[in-house]
Every structure is written in C-alpha cells, then in structure tokens.
Amino acid sequence: MVYDFLINSILIGIALAMDAFSVCIANALKEHNMKISRVCFIASVYAFFQFAMPMIGWVCVHSIETAFTSFQKFIPWIALFLLSFIGIKMIIEAIKEQKENKNACDAKQTEETIKKISLKTLFIQGIATSIDALSVGFTISSYNWLYALIACLIIAVVTFAICLGGLKIGRTIGYKLQNKAGILGGIILIAIGLEIFIKGII
C-alpha cells in the first residue's frame, strides 16, 4: 500500500515535471550565466507550483467539484496564452539584443549584458506549466488530506530534481549558442504551450 503510493506519486511527479523541465532549458538558454543559487531558486519556483496546483485541485474536488470541472476546459487555453506571450517576448528581446550587439567588437554576451528572467515571468511560467496539474486533484481525491499533502510534496521534490537537470542542460547549450539561445528558448516556450493546448483539447 505505502510502496504503491510512493511509486504512483513519483510517477505523477515525473509526468507533471516534463513541461517545467522544458521551460527550464529555455530559461537557462537565455540566462546561461546563472549561479547555483539562482538555479536552485528557479527550480524551487516550479517545484512550489507543482506542489500547490495538485493540492488546490484536491481541495476543489472536496469542496467545489462542479465549478472546478467547468473550469478545466479553460486550462489548455490559459497555458497556451501565457507561454506563447512569454515565448514571443523572449524572441523579441533576443532579436533586439542581437541588433544592439551587431556592431560590437566582441559579439559574446557578458554577465552584465545578459538580462535576468524576472520573478514575475518565473511565476507566470510556474502557473502555466503547472495549471494542468489541477486535474491531478481528481487522481488523488481518494486520499485523505495527509496522504494528499505527502503526495504533493513528493511531486514537488521530483519536479525540483528534474528542473535542476533542465537548467544544467540549458546552461551548457546556452554558452555555445550565445545570442541565438534567446530565440530558441522562446520557440521552446511557444511549442510547450501548443503541446499543452493540443493535449488538453484532444
């Protein structure tokens, strides 16, 4: 019983973390000079939302199930809008930076010229990549509040670990791609939004 619970929670965590993993790669492509403390902070943001959304879903199932069910149909649209908006913004910023550096003697970005991803953007990404996890509230609805809380904590830990991997990959690639990394990162975000949208309406 406990073994099955742990395995199921880990598997759910892995499944839910895939979108956040891809977004972490995109973010690290843009901000490839981030320090380890920054890496841990960004991974923690996604882990928090992946913890919060299933827990909110569980609460909704046990309180306002009818309204929650009606809201579910809007989830793919919300994710598509948020991630597409951030992705397009990232592409525009990357193109602008390329133009600004066009006449520079050294085309390489320095730590000073690489713009940090804002906290607001991270929160929007966290919501967009975890909003479909609200439906996990149905999956764990049979759990009591303690088991639901533990399951969500496991999901958060799994997400944190996977996001660290995504950020590491993005940083490595980002150093090689330099200015083009921002454009690639934006394309990845838009693609994730489309993937969530298509998955949600099929």
Side-chain angles (χ1 to χ4, degrees), residues 27-101:
N27 284 345
L29 283 170
K30 178 177 173 58
E31 192 184 329
H32 55 75
N33 66 334
M34 63 176 73
K35 297 178 180 177
I36 187 64
S37 57
R38 175 80 171 159
V39 169
C40 291
F41 172 73
I42 292 176
S44 297
V45 170
Y46 297 115
F48 168 76
F49 282 105
Q50 291 289 9
F51 161 79
M53 289 298 181
M55 200 68 223
I56 292 171
W58 182 89
V59 172
C60 289
V61 169
H62 287 267
S63 55
I64 50 171
E65 184 174 351
T66 303
F68 177 61
T69 304
S70 301
F71 172 74
Q72 273 194 301
K73 62 185 177 183
F74 297 108
I75 289 176
W77 293 93
I78 294 171
L80 175 64
F81 172 76
L82 292 176
L83 289 175
S84 296
F85 174 76
I86 297 170
I88 292 170
K89 185 170 177 285
M90 188 180 287
I91 291 171
I92 292 172
E93 288 178 352
I95 293 173
K96 187 178 176 183
E97 286 173 7
Q98 280 186 340
K99 288 180 179 178
E100 289 174 351
N101 295 330

Side-chain angles (χ1 to χ4, degrees), residues 135-194:
S135 59
V136 174
F138 283 114
T139 305
I140 63 175
S141 61
S142 60
Y143 296 165
N144 60 36
W145 71 269
L146 181 59
Y147 268 75
L149 180 64
I150 294 172
C152 292
L153 286 172
I154 292 172
I155 290 170
V157 171
V158 171
T159 299
F160 180 82
I162 289 176
C163 285
L164 286 180
L167 289 165
K168 173 64 177 174
I169 292 171
R171 285 173 69 198
T172 303
I173 299 173
Y175 277 117
K176 297 176 181 177
L177 292 178
Q178 300 296 340
N179 288 337
K180 293 182 178 63
I183 297 174
L184 179 59
I187 293 171
I188 290 173
L189 290 182
I190 295 170
I192 296 167
L194 286 170

Side-chain angles (χ1 to χ4, degrees), residues 113-133:
T113 60
I114 297 173
K115 294 180 182 177
K116 283 189 176 182
I117 297 162
S118 69
L119 184 62
K120 178 183 176 182
T121 298
L122 286 175
F123 271 58
I124 293 173
Q125 290 177 349
I127 293 169
T129 55
S130 65
I131 194 168
D132 57 336

